[in-house]
C-alpha cells in the first residue's frame, strides 16, 4: 500500500463531502456562509472524518449514512479553531498560512461563524434521518456520542481548563485531562460514530473508544514533540510556540526522549487493540501509525 | 382564568426543568458549568419553553418527552444572549439588572459558555432518545426543526444581518428579515417541536409555524414600542436604546400608532389560526394575547 496515495485519495473524498454539505452562499446573510466555507475549506489533515469513515468500514458499514456525520465532525473541529483564534482566546492572526476567520471577516462575524458551524454540524448530522429513517435509533445514538464528546465533558471541557490554566505550570494530571478532552474526545467520537452507524455492538464501540483515547493522546504528544523538533517550513506554523507561551507540555514535563517513547507505547497499544477486534482495515492501521510518526 | 397566576405556575415548572437538566458543577472544568447556570437561571420570560409545552398539550401530548426539548430551546436562546452581549457584538455589561456572563467570568469563558450552552442544548434534546426510543423518528424530526430554526437560515442568520446592518438605515424588507429570523425562528421552533412530539400531522405543524411567525413578529414590534413608551423601571432595561443606537425599528419606520396596529393585527390573525385548528388551549390563547399587550 502506498500510504500517501491512499491518504490523499481520502482527503479528496472528504473535501468533496464537505463541499456538498456546505450551505448555499445566498441571501442577506451570505457573509456568514462565506465565513463558514473560508474556515472549513482551509485545508488541514481531515483526520477526524477519515477515522470515522475507516471505522465505519471496519465494521462493514456501506453507503452514504456516514457522510453527514463526517461533515459534522469536521465542522465541530473547525468551529473550535475559529473560536480558539479569537482575540479573547489565543489571539492568532494566522492558521495554516492563511489569515484567521475573524481577521478576514471581523470579530463579530468570527464569533457568529463559529456558532454557525457548531449549529450547522448538528443540522447536517440530522439529515441522516432523511437518508435512512429506518435507522433512527442508531442515528440518535450517534448524535448523542457526537454531542457528548464535543461538549463540556469533552472538547469544550478540555478547552476550558486549557484557557484557565494557560500561563501556569500544571501537573501531569491536569495536562492529561486537557489532552484527553480537548484533543482526545473528538477522535473518540469519530471512531465511535463510525462504529455505531455500521451497527457495531456496544462492546465493540467501547473498545474503539478505548483505542481512540490512546491515539488521541499519542497524537497530542507528537504535536508537543514537533513543536520542539520541527521547522516552521515543515510544520506550516511557528515552532517553539509552547516555549514562547511558557506552556506545560509532555516535553517540558518528561523530556523529549520519554515523550517520544510514550507516544510510541500508546500507538502500539492502540494498534494491538485494533488488531484484536477480529475485523481488518489495513489503511486504518497505517493511519494510526502515521499519526504518531508524522513529521507535520 | 387568572392569567398571571397560571403564567407564574408555568414559569416555576420550567425553571425546575431547567435546573434538572443543567450539568453537575464539578471537575476541573467547573467554571464553565457555573457560567452556564449563571446565564440560564438569570430569569427571563421563558416564553419559548412555555409555548413549546402549550403546543405539545394542544395536540394531546402527555408525559415527559417534551422536557429535554424545553430545556434545549431555552439553552439556545440563552447562548445567543451570552454571545450577543460580548464586547465584539453589542458590548453590554448588564442584562436583566445583573452583570452579563463575560463581565463576571471573563471574555474567554463568556465565549466558551455560549458554545457550551449551544452544544449542551443538543446533548439535552438527545436524551429524549433514552426516554422514548420507540419515538426516535419523531425525535429526529424535532431535532431537525430545532437545529434548522437556530441556524444560519434561522436565528443565526437574523443575528448576522442585524450585526452587519447596525448603524445603517435599513428597509422594511431587511427589518422583516431580521425579525423573522432573529426573533421569529425560535418561536416557530418552539411550537413546531411541541406539535411534532405530540404527534401532530405535517399540515398541523406547518399551521403552527405560520401562527408562530405572526406571534414572533408581533412580539418583536411590541419590543420596539415598549422601548419608546415604557420606563427603565418597568422594563428592567434602559429605554430609548433604539433611538440612542440609531436603530431602525417598526416605530421609526411606520410610527408608534401604526406599529401598534400592526402588532394587534398579527396577533389577532395568529389567534384566529389557533382557534381554527380544532383543538383548544385557553392558556395558550391568553399567552399570545399577553405577548402583544404586555407592558414589559
Amino acid at each position: 500500500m502506498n500510504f500517501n496515495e491512499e491518504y490523499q485519495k481520502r482527503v479528496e473524498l472528504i473535501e468533496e463531502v464537505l463541499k456538498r454539505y456546505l450551505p448555499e452562499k445566498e441571501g442577506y446573510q451570505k457573509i456568514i456562509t462565506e465565513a463558514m466555507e473560508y474556515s472549513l475549506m482551509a485545508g488541514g489533515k481531515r483526520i477526524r472524518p477519515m477515522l470515522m469513515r475507516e471505522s465505519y468500514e471496519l465494521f462493514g458499514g456501506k453507503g452514504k449514512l456516514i457522510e453527514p456525520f463526517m461533515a459534522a465532525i469536521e465542522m465541530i473541529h473547525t468551529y473550535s479553531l475559529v473560536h480558539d483564534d479569537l482575540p479573547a482566546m489565543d489571539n492568532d492572526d494566522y492558521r495554516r498560512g492563511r489569515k484567521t476567520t475573524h481577521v478576514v471577516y471581523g470579530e463579530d462575524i468570527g464569533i457568529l461563524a463559529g456558532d454557525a458551524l457548531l449549529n450547522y454540524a448538528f443540522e447536517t448530522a440530522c439529515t441522516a434521518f432523511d437518508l435512512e429513517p429506518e435507522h433512527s435509533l442508531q442515528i440518535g445514538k450517534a448524535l448523542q456520542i457526537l454531542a457528548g464528546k464535543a461538549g463540556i465533558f469533552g472538547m469544550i471541557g478540555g478547552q476550558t481548563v486549557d484557557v484557565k490554566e494557560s500561563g501556569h505550570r500544571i501537573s501531569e494530571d491536569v495536562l492529561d485531562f486537557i489532552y484527553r478532552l480537548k484533543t482526545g474526545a473528538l477522535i473518540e467520537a469519530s471512531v465511535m460514530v463510525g462504529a455505531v452507524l455500521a451497527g457495531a455492538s456496544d462492546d465493540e464501540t467501547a473498545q474503539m473508544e478505548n483505542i481512540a483515547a490512546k491515539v488521541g493522546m499519542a497524537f497530542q504528544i507528537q504535536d508537543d514533540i514537533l513543536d520542539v523538533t520541527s521547522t516552521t517550513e515543515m510544520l506550516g506554523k511557528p515552532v517553539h510556540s509552547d516555549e514562547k507561551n511558557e506552556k506545560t507540555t509532555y516535553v517540558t514535563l518528561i523530556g523529549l526522549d520519554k515523550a517520544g517513547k510514550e507516544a510510541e507505547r500508546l500507538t502500539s497499544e492502540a494498534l494491538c487493540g485494533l488488531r484484536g477486534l477480529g475485523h481488518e482495515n489495513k489503511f486504518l492501521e497505517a493511519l494510526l501509525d502515521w499519526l504518531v510518526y508524522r513529521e507535520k
Side-chain angles (χ1 to χ4, degrees), chain A:
Chain A
M1 177 174 52
N2 180 332
F3 176 78
N4 284 329
E5 214 171 84
E6 290 292 318
Y7 172 82
Q8 207 44 51
K9 235 168 64 187
R10 283 161 174 84
V11 168
E12 280 160 30
L13 180 136
I14 291 164
E15 304 211 328
E16 184 269 314
V17 169
L18 293 179
K19 275 181 203 150
R20 191 145 36 83
Y21 278 102
L22 267 170
E24 291 293 326
K25 296 192 292 294
E26 58 183 18
Y28 291 126
Q29 73 275 59
K30 198 172 159 226
I31 190 174
I32 200 80
T33 44
E34 285 173 2
M36 288 165 77
E37 176 171 321
Y38 178 83
S39 54
L40 191 67
M41 301 315 290
K45 292 184 272 289
R46 312 297 192 190
I47 59 166
R48 290 158 195 83
M50 199 177 294
L51 285 167
M52 187 184 281
R53 189 162 168 274
E54 296 305 320
S55 170
Y56 184 65
E57 294 194 345
L58 180 74
F59 291 101
K62 284 181 176 47
K64 302 213 168 275
L65 186 61
I66 196 69
E67 292 187 351
F69 279 90
M70 289 166 63
I73 201 143
E74 194 69 4
M75 288 174 191
I76 291 177
H77 171 59
T78 302
Y79 111 78
S80 79
L81 302 180
V82 172
H83 279 185
D84 268 20
D85 289 337
L86 285 169
M89 309 279 274
D90 288 351
N91 196 19
D92 280 321
D93 287 351
Y94 286 88
R95 178 177 289 274
R96 300 184 188 122
R98 298 167 82 208
K99 284 184 180 164
T100 45
T101 309
H102 69 273
V103 170
V104 176
Y105 293 94
E107 205 179 328
D108 47 5
I109 295 296
I111 294 168
L112 284 170
D115 295 347
L117 280 165
L118 173 56
N119 192 93
Y120 207 69
F122 289 108
E123 253 178 287
T124 302
C126 279
T127 64
F129 289 109
D130 300 326
L131 287 178
E132 297 189 14
E134 68 278 18
H135 291 127
S136 288
L137 199 57
Q138 264 163 275
I139 295 166
K141 217 166 162 186
L143 275 174
Q144 280 185 293
I145 292 166
L146 186 68
K149 294 289 184 185
I152 48 175
F153 302 113
M155 186 183 70
I156 295 175
Q159 174 66 359
T160 300
V161 180
D162 196 20
V163 160
K164 290 324 290 175
E165 297 296 340
S166 82
H168 311 148
R169 300 298 293 176
I170 54 178
S171 67
E172 198 172 327
D173 258 13
V174 176
L175 190 67
D176 273 352
F177 179 92
I178 294 172
Y179 284 7
R180 188 163 53 79
L181 268 63
K182 189 177 169 171
T183 310
L186 279 199
I187 294 188
E188 292 163 23
S190 302
V191 301
M192 291 171 78
V193 165
V196 162
L197 291 181
S201 69
D202 287 352
D203 187 50
E204 286 169 323
T205 307
Q207 285 182 60
M208 287 304 283
E209 180 178 26
N210 197 11
I211 290 165
K214 293 180 203 290
V215 171
M217 189 62 82
F219 179 78
Q220 188 56 55
I221 295 174
Q222 182 62 11
D223 248 23
D224 292 350
I225 293 171
L226 289 174
D227 189 67
V228 177
T229 61
S230 190
T231 61
T232 298
E233 295 68 45
M234 193 67 181
L235 219 51
K237 62 180 178 184
V239 290
H240 307 303
S241 68
D242 295 334
E243 197 187 332
K244 207 187 73 191
N245 299 326
E246 295 183 24
K247 266 209 135 164
T248 307
T249 73
Y250 257 80
V251 174
T252 67
L253 273 180
I254 61 176
L256 201 54
D257 195 48
K258 276 195 186 162
K261 289 215 169 65
E262 179 65 3
E264 282 178 32
R265 186 188 65 79
L266 286 162
T267 300
S268 120
E269 279 186 22
L271 278 167
C272 227
L274 185 63
R275 290 189 189 113
L277 281 171
H279 302 274
E280 197 177 68
N281 179 336
K282 282 290 172 201
F283 177 78
L284 181 54
E285 290 178 25
L287 180 61
L288 298 197
D289 223 52
W290 175 77
L291 287 176
V292 68
Y293 293 107
R294 73 197 150 94
E295 289 178 333
K296 60 173 190 169

